[in-house]
Amino acid sequence: MYLRKTQRRNKDGSAVRYVQLANNRRVDGQTQAEVLVNLGREDRLDLDALRRLVASINRYLGEDDDVTAPLGTQAGPLQVESSRPIGTIWLLDQLWKLLGIDTALARHLDGRRFRTDVERVLFALVANRAVAPGSKLAAGEWATRDVVIPGLPELDGNNQALRAMDLLIEGDATGAVQETVFFAAAHLLNLEVDLIFFDTTSTYFERDGEDEESDEALRRFGHSKDHRKDLPQIVIGLAVTREGIPVRCWVWPGNTSDTTVITQVKDDLRTWRLGRVVTVADSGFSSEANLAYLTRAGGHYITGVKMRETSKKADAALARQGRYQEVRDNLRVKEVRLDGDPGRRWVVCHNPAEAARDAERREQQLTAISDELERIAQARTADAKKAKDKAAKTGKRPVKPNDAVHRKAECALRDHPSLGRWLKQHPTTARLSIDRAKVAAESRLDGKYLLATSDPDLSAEDVALGYKNLLEAERSFRTMKSTLYLRPVFHRLDERIRAHVLLCWLALLLIRVAERRTGTTWRTIRNELGRIHQVTLAGPAGRLQQTTRITDTQARLFKDCGVPMPPKMSGIQTTE
């Protein structure tokens, strides 16, 4: 059924329009319009009666009445005061409550009363990282003027944000809040926590020097994974599940070595009583002391092993003969057990496609080296011939040509970051040549990587695929640095640096939960729900907030996340 208009013309040429309620039906295979009700001339319609009819139909369908009509009556029209996005913030807020983060923070604050709702301020800071990351001062203006933060009318300046950050990490709150939130997420998403993936990264500060007030200060120079060795930094550790859900984060001084942090990670997670846990880490954490510590209290590990460093056990595992087992099109595995090492299993993994790429890349580099060595040799020969010809013309003894230019070219080739590894320098002549023994040794490692595990139950296939999931930790770091703008950090106090990382961790958690429940990237979710606005309308009879129409795609995102949609009407205020 639908409303349609018809018209007729009077003798004087004027048009008269009529409104009808019609319905289409098929007669003899053709669609014909059937008039159900003649509502009368368009210029004489009772519009209030039509509105009451629409309201009655809405009530029957279970939808709210349109309450904007009484506010803009004959006394004057409605005016739009503001329009701000609410969709993405609403989703994050509902997930925030669903994971019990608000409850965990309330428990941490221990019933203390503040002039500002600290929990709402912290949510605004987390939402700002996920939607439009900026400084804490910019986050206050963003939360007050640019978006709708439920329960937070405004965020007054920078002081409230910094005070909330101080309260977030007060005492032992960091570990307690993370533990409560993680177990809520594990229960909500039915997460598997038998494998915990751990990795570290670094992030820098825009300042010239490191902190000198204390030896335990966070901002220190160290090995930068951001390729900014000129700036002080901190080291961040992150543990995630195989689904990419963050478990916990840590912050250490920028000069901290990877081999020194695994004991703290093990101790902190052990207090959570996760049950049977296999820690997955890369080769940077595979010292014998760390591996022994990970096996305490029934724990186990899966770790990468450095193949190019001197290790008799690694060499023995790679040299052991055996048949590979096909796991996937691009992965074969072979399990090896060594005598004298009964508590450890070795898994050799081979990727045929990667082996072909390694061989092709190496051949290209060797060709470039050969061409450069040939060019240098020809240049030397040409200089020698030129000197000899000049001596023959002048009748003088030939002068030995200056070899400094050619030696400089050889030094540049030897010190090249990718080509120099294939060269060796002869002790007598100091000439360069390709190290064929190094080439043969590297060719045996094409497409291979070596794993070690202490778990006696996991199959070689599960070990290999479990280690590949370590990419989830690396993906989380990329999200924190790009989407959440973790870097550069502009805080000075150590406590606020830790709070900044924890805010990014909470934002990452909300993002991963939304992605997992919807099967959609956060960028798509953010852009789609960002089109939902809350419009503030004001009229002579009062004011209210109305949410723009929600599309089927947007409704599906809310449904997949298991949260309700924003209300159509809210904040109704009348002048009576």
Side-chain angles (χ1 to χ4, degrees), residues 476-544:
S476 296
F477 284 135
R478 287 196 300 272
T479 301
M480 292 179 73
K481 291 181 178 182
S482 58
T483 305
L484 306 180
Y485 282 70
L486 169 70
R487 62 184 181 185
V489 185
F490 293 100
H491 295 285
R492 180 179 63 85
L493 300 179
D494 288 354
E495 293 78 8
R496 288 176 182 166
I497 294 172
R498 297 180 189 276
H500 172 73
V501 175
L502 186 57
L503 291 175
C504 292
W505 177 84
L506 289 170
L508 177 65
L509 175 64
L510 297 178
I511 286 176
R512 287 290 182 264
V513 171
E515 289 179 336
R516 175 171 168 78
R517 304 200 92 180
T518 61
T520 308
T521 64
W522 173 246
R523 179 182 179 182
T524 301
I525 298 172
R526 181 184 58 192
N527 292 343
E528 185 64 36
L529 297 185
R531 301 184 180 101
I532 302 176
H533 279 231
Q534 185 182 85
V535 182
T536 301
L537 303 172
R543 62 198 305 273
L544 63 94

Side-chain angles (χ1 to χ4, degrees), residues 241-255:
T241 67
R242 66 174 72 198
E243 297 87 358
I245 303 298
V247 175
R248 184 165 180 169
C249 64
W250 294 264
V251 180
W252 295 289
N255 57 358

Side-chain angles (χ1 to χ4, degrees), residues 71 534 536-537 542-546 567 569-574:
L71 295 179
Q534 185 182 85
T536 301
L537 303 172
R543 62 198 305 273
L544 63 94
Q545 285 82 39
Q546 181 173 358
M569 303 290 175
S570 61
I572 301 176
Q573 301 175 0
T574 60

Side-chain angles (χ1 to χ4, degrees), residues 93 96-97 99-114 117-126 163-170 172-181 499 502-503 505-506 510:
D93 188 36
W96 175 275
K97 296 176 180 177
L99 294 174
I101 303 177
D102 56 341
T103 305
L105 292 176
R107 188 182 303 113
H108 164 59
L109 296 175
D110 195 23
R112 288 177 291 176
R113 295 183 178 181
F114 302 92
D117 191 337
V118 176
E119 180 268 332
R120 288 288 84 191
V121 173
L122 290 174
F123 168 74
L125 296 177
V126 171
R163 175 56 176 160
M165 293 173 63
D166 294 340
L167 293 170
L168 177 62
I169 59 168
E170 186 181 56
D172 191 27
T174 301
V177 170
Q178 290 184 90
E179 180 180 2
T180 302
V181 171
L502 186 57
L503 291 175
W505 177 84
L506 289 170
L510 297 178

